[in-house]
Amino acid sequence: MRKLFNTQPIFSAVLFRCKYSTAPKSVATVRLNNKDFISDDYTNITPKIISYLNRNLHLQKGNPLSLVRQCIVKYFYSSFTHRGHPAFSVYDNLSPIVTAKQNFDDLLIPADHPSRAKSDCYYINKDVLLRAHMTAHQMELLRSGLDNFLMIGDVYRRDEIDSTHFPVFHQVDAVRSQSSKELFGEDQDLKIFEPTYDIENPHNFKNSISDPMKQSCHTLEASKLMETQLKTHLLGLVYYLFGDDIEHRWVDAYFPFTHPSWELEILYEGKWMEVLGCGIVRNEILVNAGPSNSIAYAFGLGLERLAMALYKIPDIRLMWSTDSGFLAQFNTDNIQDKITYKPVSVYPQCTNDISFWLPSNVTTDSFVNNDFYDLVRDIGGDIIEQVSLKDKFIHPKSKKHSLCYSIVYRHLERTLKQEEVNQVHKKIEQAVTDSFNVVIR
Ligand code: DAH
């Protein structure tokens, strides 16, 4: 899971004015899924990003993400039943266009939280964005009366470019709620809530998260029992996917919408890899959505990471491949088949550097890397494998600031010619000059 929501709101977001916008100045709307949205100075969604909408890789037969999705759904369907029916309902077709209220406010994410920054999200305008996490739908589904559900879909975050990061990825997010009877059975002595919390007047209670063990409205036994269930269920899922030998560790975490919160890491190729975030849902969210007499856990996990580890897929861009040599490897009717990805063939990379002087009002620290990455991807498309900052430099005399990035180009299905790369690179230089007012060195 990428660090976006698991930061405490200590620092307020620095919202850099984004010079780079592909929308012509005269056009005041953005058309998405046959709907027009009025653009404003928050609009930073690009044509490249728009082209990923509606691809629905998680539902596409033969895509590894779809296989992992089916495994996860099967695990939850078979582990939890209610009178012979699955206890979880699954939503895998919710529109990724959400309001800032859904993505942030409903989840108690403060107005100045860094995850709202324009440099991290794809805004359609100030009030509407491409969801940055599937948790954005938690409130609406709770409000519609559901208590156990999975939400699966594509999420969008502005980020660096390398083999494990892509601006679109997929998440499974879930909520499991328990009433007192479901949690403690017939044992009437055990309670979900402290006596000072009045189920009839939940808004009168000032819920606090200062105790690291639990929210102040919950009893220790309810919170601990939910924590045990949450951890057992998620560990069960990891064992189901990877087998019993997989090593794991729980790490304390912070999310504005849960308390307490944790992340689960698994040992993959000798390194700890974070695969999910989870916690006990903040009671304020349940109360705002309706139920004031239950306790719930929630979690969100990233499908790409799991698929890459499960099938040993070395590059996240492969998930988007339409190459039949790739898709055929995952085209199985038995979702539990042990599949190991075999490279169709590996084509060579080309690396070109780009260096430029920044305009006098921009420093190497205030320059928004994500604006640059988006522009590079917009011009270069899917042949961009990696962009990394190589050097920062301040001229001793002129005090001008300069940046140098390496751009690695590689086509996944054929060898790129250096000339062809040079042409794309020239276009990127031109676009960077035009958009950021820099001077190529
Ligand atoms: N939405 C979080 C993210 O994308 C992950 C997450 C954490 C989801 C805790 C949850 C949760 O539902 O309870 O980083």
Side-chain angles (χ1 to χ4, degrees):
M1 201 76 34
R2 277 179 238 178
K3 308 285 172 216
L4 190 54
F5 300 96
N6 47 357
T7 32
Q8 301 237 30
I10 311 165
F11 308 105
S12 63
V14 185
L15 296 181
F16 296 106
R17 190 151 282 276
C18 174
K19 268 205 170 161
Y20 163 53
S21 161
T22 45
K25 294 276 172 296
S26 57
V27 177
T29 59
V30 184
R31 193 162 181 81
L32 289 176
N33 290 353
N34 295 323
K35 228 182 127 187
D36 287 321
F37 295 88
I38 296 182
S39 56
D40 58 20
D41 62 353
Y42 258 69
T43 310
N44 61 1
I45 183 169
T46 67
K48 184 78 201 153
I49 293 300
I50 294 174
S51 76
Y52 296 122
L53 288 173
N54 306 318
R55 282 283 300 272
N56 287 330
L57 297 186
H58 61 292
L59 301 176
Q60 188 194 317
K61 186 155 171 55
N63 191 287
L65 300 174
S66 172
L67 275 186
V68 182
R69 167 189 61 87
Q70 290 174 70
C71 290
I72 295 172
V73 169
K74 185 168 175 192
Y75 170 82
F76 279 96
Y77 271 0
S78 54
S79 310
F80 309 98
T81 50
H82 180 69
R83 300 200 182 106
H85 295 286
F88 278 87
S89 30
V90 176
Y91 294 83
D92 55 18
N93 207 4
L94 299 161
S95 168
I97 303 168
V98 299
T99 58
K101 181 173 179 298
Q102 288 174 293
N103 201 83
F104 303 116
D105 307 60
D106 283 351
L107 295 166
L108 314 178
I109 298 175
D112 62 353
H113 193 271
S115 66
R116 294 185 187 240
K118 240 167 85 172
S119 57
D120 285 12
C121 301
Y122 287 104
Y123 280 94
I124 298 162
N125 58 41
K126 192 171 162 297
D127 303 317
V128 185
L129 70 159
L130 295 181
R131 64 187 166 211
H133 56 170
M134 287 307 292
T135 323
H137 300 285
Q138 186 181 89
M139 173 64 89
E140 72 197 74
L141 294 184
L142 280 169
R143 203 169 258 157
S144 73
L146 293 164
D147 41 19
N148 297 303
F149 51 90
L150 299 172
M151 306 159 265
I152 310 174
D154 38 342
V155 300
Y156 297 76
R157 289 187 200 172
R158 304 184 70 195
D159 215 330
E160 57 204 86
I161 301 179
D162 64 25
S163 64
T164 59
H165 292 91
F166 201 78
V168 192
F169 60 106
H170 297 75
Q171 287 187 328
V172 175
D173 211 279
V175 172
R176 175 172 159 89
S177 319
Q178 300 270 272
S179 66
S180 173
K181 209 161 159 203
E182 285 160 331
L183 191 62
F184 298 123
E186 296 305 323
D187 194 335
Q188 293 300 315
D189 292 341
L190 295 171
K191 302 264 184 280
I192 290 181
F193 294 102
E194 291 288 356
T196 42
Y197 176 82
D198 175 4
I199 290 173
E200 303 303 324
N201 296 296
H203 288 288
N204 293 349
F205 189 87
K206 173 104 191 56
N207 197 19
S208 140
I209 55 166
S210 56
D211 178 349
M213 302 272 260
K214 67 176 195 72
Q215 300 172 39
S216 65
C217 63
H218 292 143
T219 63
L220 190 59
E221 48 277 22
S223 194
K224 280 283 167 200
L225 188 52
M226 279 307 271
E227 174 181 340
T228 307
Q229 286 193 6
L230 169 62
K231 290 183 172 173
T232 313
H233 296 163
L234 288 173
L235 212 50
L237 172 65
V238 167
Y239 288 145
Y240 178 75
L241 292 172
F242 289 92
D244 293 346
D245 295 335
I246 189 93
E247 284 194 60
H248 79 278
R249 67 179 187 192
W250 289 101
V251 180
D252 287 338
Y254 170 85
F255 296 103
F257 28 94
T258 48
H259 185 78
S261 310
W262 304 272
E263 283 168 352
L264 176 59
E265 298 182 346
I266 58 174
L267 198 59
Y268 175 63
E269 293 187 337
K271 286 203 197 102
W272 287 108
M273 176 171 81
E274 185 205 325
V275 289
L276 63 85
C278 64
I280 309 298
V281 177
R282 290 269 296 264
N283 193 55
E284 296 89 319
I285 297 181
L286 296 179
V287 168
N288 289 341
S292 58
N293 58 353
S294 59
I295 183 168
Y297 74 53
F299 65 84
L301 56 81
L303 284 180
E304 271 77 355
R305 287 213 176 159
L306 291 176
M308 288 173 82
L310 259 181
Y311 308 124
K312 309 239 180 311
I313 300 173
D315 191 313
I316 196 166
R317 290 178 303 160
L318 282 161
M319 304 295 173
W320 296 85
S321 171
T322 51
D323 185 286
S324 58
F326 175 78
L327 294 172
Q329 296 186 36
F330 302 95
N331 201 347
T332 168
D333 287 326
N334 180 8
I335 55 170
Q336 264 145 295
D337 268 353
K338 231 187 129 25
I339 299 172
T340 303
Y341 166 70
K342 288 178 239 36
V344 187
S345 86
V346 175
Y347 298 96
Q349 309 173 315
C350 293
T351 306
N352 284 21
D353 289 353
I354 180 167
S355 321
F356 45 81
W357 294 111
L358 295 170
S360 54
N361 58 341
V362 182
T363 66
T364 51
D365 292 330
S366 72
F367 184 73
V368 182
N369 284 318
N370 282 344
D371 287 344
F372 175 69
Y373 298 149
D374 265 327
L375 180 66
V376 173
R377 204 192 294 279
D378 245 25
I379 308 291
D382 292 343
I383 63 168
I384 305 296
E385 177 168 281
Q386 198 181 341
V387 183
S388 50
L389 182 62
K390 197 170 168 188
D391 194 25
K392 289 181 179 183
F393 172 72
I394 304 176
H395 193 281
K397 288 220 179 85
S398 71
K399 300 279 180 266
K400 275 185 153 182
H401 288 221
S402 149
L403 290 170
C404 175
Y405 293 88
S406 283
I407 306 181
V408 180
Y409 297 85
R410 187 189 339 232
H411 200 292
L412 289 172
E413 281 134 17
R414 64 182 177 84
T415 301
L416 283 175
K417 293 200 197 72
Q418 186 64 52
E419 278 157 58
E420 176 182 10
V421 169
N422 292 349
Q423 275 179 18
V424 177
H425 199 74
K426 268 252 151 323
K427 277 197 196 154
I428 292 176
E429 286 182 343
Q430 189 58 52
V432 171
T433 307
D434 297 345
S435 304
F436 303 123
N437 205 10
V438 302
V439 177
I440 300 289
R441 294 179 61 180

